Amino acid sequence: MPWPFKPKSRKQIARIEITGLIAGNTRQRVLDALKTVEEKKFPALLLRIDSPGGTVGDSQEIYSALMRLREKVKIIASFGNISASGGVYVGMGAEHIVTNPGTITGSIGVILRGNNLERLLDKIGVSFKVVKSGPYKDILGFDRELTDPEKTILQEMIDTSYQQFVQTVAEARNLAVETVRSFADGRIFTGQQALDLGVVDRLGTEEDARRWAAELVGLDPEKTKCETIEEPKRLLSRLIPGNTGRMNSGLSAGINWLEFELSTSGQPLWLYRP
């Protein structure tokens, strides 16, 4: 005889936030949260994205996990203040997308940056002696300019990553590849423009997205609540509640950005750089 009462999670909508730069820590947190959504059998997921993007591989892994989860769970994405580049890519894993009219989105493209400190090093009398197994092993070395063959190699890599991005957007939004290419040149646009281009489905708030998710799975939008899936709090945070973490949020964000810049130097990124 089947159990007559549904679990609480079957009457709620799961909610996951993707905020800030998308890198390894974000990927792992989101993948764990998606696993929880599947295990608890939530009927729908509200994915709140407020991110300028991040690393290519981490964005692709989150997208792939969302596509697998879509076989069991309805997924609605809500774009916040900014959902650009890798944020857009992750959003393509949702069945439907809601955005604010003034949301900054787009920036569909790939960027790779290195640093050339050759002139500075010459001034202070520092040089590097390099022994390498092949001509391209020290590509993007900060002590010299790129050679023409190296530029060709890197451009081909960027073009491949870009094509993957364009293809994903085209398939997710049922658009022609050439149509996506027409606006996937790195430009940013508003949520209103994104709707006109076919990148999103509706204009609205996160609350509008929640109500739509509830309707899609036959729940009452007036009564259905969201359960935000978060990583467990550290013991100290549980013992000493308060605003201590918020006070340092600005400094922490700055440190995180610096760490991201240093760790991803020379990597192709799906990242909007204002």
Side-chain angles (χ1 to χ4, degrees), residues 9 16 106 134 139 144 147 162 216 266:
S9 59
I16 296 175
I139 196 168
R144 64 178 179 81
T147 65
Y162 170 73
L216 286 174

Side-chain angles (χ1 to χ4, degrees), residues 233 236-237 239-250:
K233 292 183 179 179
L236 185 60
S237 299
L239 293 176
I240 310 176
N243 296 324
T244 306
R246 296 179 187 175
M247 292 173 59
N248 298 321
S249 60

Side-chain angles (χ1 to χ4, degrees), residues 198-255:
V199 177
V200 303
D201 297 290
R202 293 183 185 178
L203 297 180
T205 64
E206 182 180 356
E207 172 62 12
D208 294 324
R210 181 199 66 80
R211 295 177 68 88
W212 191 9
E215 292 169 357
L216 286 174
V217 293
L219 296 175
D220 185 350
E222 299 293 338
K223 299 178 180 179
T224 303
K225 297 180 180 180
C226 282
E227 180 180 329
T228 300
I229 311 299
E230 299 177 302
E231 59 184 342
K233 292 183 179 179
R234 296 178 180 178
L235 178 60
L236 185 60
S237 299
R238 295 200 302 267
L239 293 176
I240 310 176
N243 296 324
T244 306
R246 296 179 187 175
M247 292 173 59
N248 298 321
S249 60
L251 177 61
S252 177
I255 292 174

Side-chain angles (χ1 to χ4, degrees), residues 2-227:
W3 184 250
F5 303 107
K6 288 185 178 181
K8 183 180 179 181
S9 59
R10 296 294 294 168
K11 301 177 183 179
Q12 292 184 327
I13 295 171
R15 179 180 179 275
I16 296 175
E17 287 187 0
I18 298 179
T19 58
L21 297 165
I22 299 172
N25 290 338
T26 300
R27 171 187 55 79
Q28 191 56 59
R29 177 181 63 80
V30 174
L31 293 183
D32 290 344
L34 293 176
K35 185 176 180 181
T36 299
V37 172
E38 182 176 8
E39 290 174 346
K40 289 190 173 183
K41 294 182 168 53
F42 285 94
L45 167 63
L46 174 59
L47 188 68
R48 177 67 170 181
I49 304 175
D50 207 330
S51 169
T55 54
V56 173
D58 292 312
S59 300
Q60 287 182 325
E61 287 200 28
I62 294 173
Y63 165 80
S64 297
L66 288 168
M67 293 299 292
R68 291 192 296 270
L69 186 63
R70 268 175 52 168
E71 298 175 3
K72 303 176 181 179
V73 177
K74 291 288 184 182
I75 303 177
I76 304 289
S78 167
F79 286 177
N81 290 314
I82 178 171
S83 182
S85 206
V88 172
Y89 193 95
V90 170
M92 294 301 107
E95 293 178 83
H96 306 289
I97 302 173
V98 178
T99 184
N100 295 294
T103 293
I104 295 175
T105 186
S107 190
I108 299 171
V110 193
I111 186 170
L112 181 150
R113 296 202 313 182
N115 301 303
N116 182 8
L117 306 180
E118 184 177 8
R119 293 175 62 186
L120 175 62
L121 294 173
D122 285 344
K123 285 184 177 181
I124 60 177
V126 175
S127 63
F128 291 85
K129 306 303 179 184
V130 179
V131 178
K132 52 188 178 180
S133 58
Y136 307 119
K137 187 59 181 173
D138 64 339
I139 196 168
L140 278 178
F142 63 84
D143 59 327
R144 64 178 179 81
E145 184 61 77
L146 282 170
T147 65
D148 288 338
E150 287 174 333
K151 291 178 182 178
T152 299
I153 289 172
L154 294 176
Q155 188 62 58
E156 289 175 351
M157 180 176 65
I158 292 299
D159 291 344
T160 298
S161 181
Y162 170 73
Q163 179 57 34
Q164 293 169 4
F165 202 155
V166 169
Q167 189 68 40
T168 296
V169 174
E171 292 176 358
R173 304 306 304 166
N174 196 26
L175 297 170
V177 169
E178 288 309 311
T179 299
V180 177
R181 284 185 180 275
S182 70
F183 57 79
D185 52 9
R187 76 182 70 175
I188 56 172
F189 37 82
T190 66
Q192 176 66 65
Q193 292 172 312
L195 178 65
D196 297 338
L197 292 169
V199 177
V200 303
D201 297 290
R202 293 183 185 178
L203 297 180
T205 64
E206 182 180 356
E207 172 62 12
D208 294 324
R210 181 199 66 80
R211 295 177 68 88
W212 191 9
E215 292 169 357
L216 286 174
V217 293
L219 296 175
D220 185 350
E222 299 293 338
K223 299 178 180 179
T224 303
K225 297 180 180 180
C226 282
E227 180 180 329

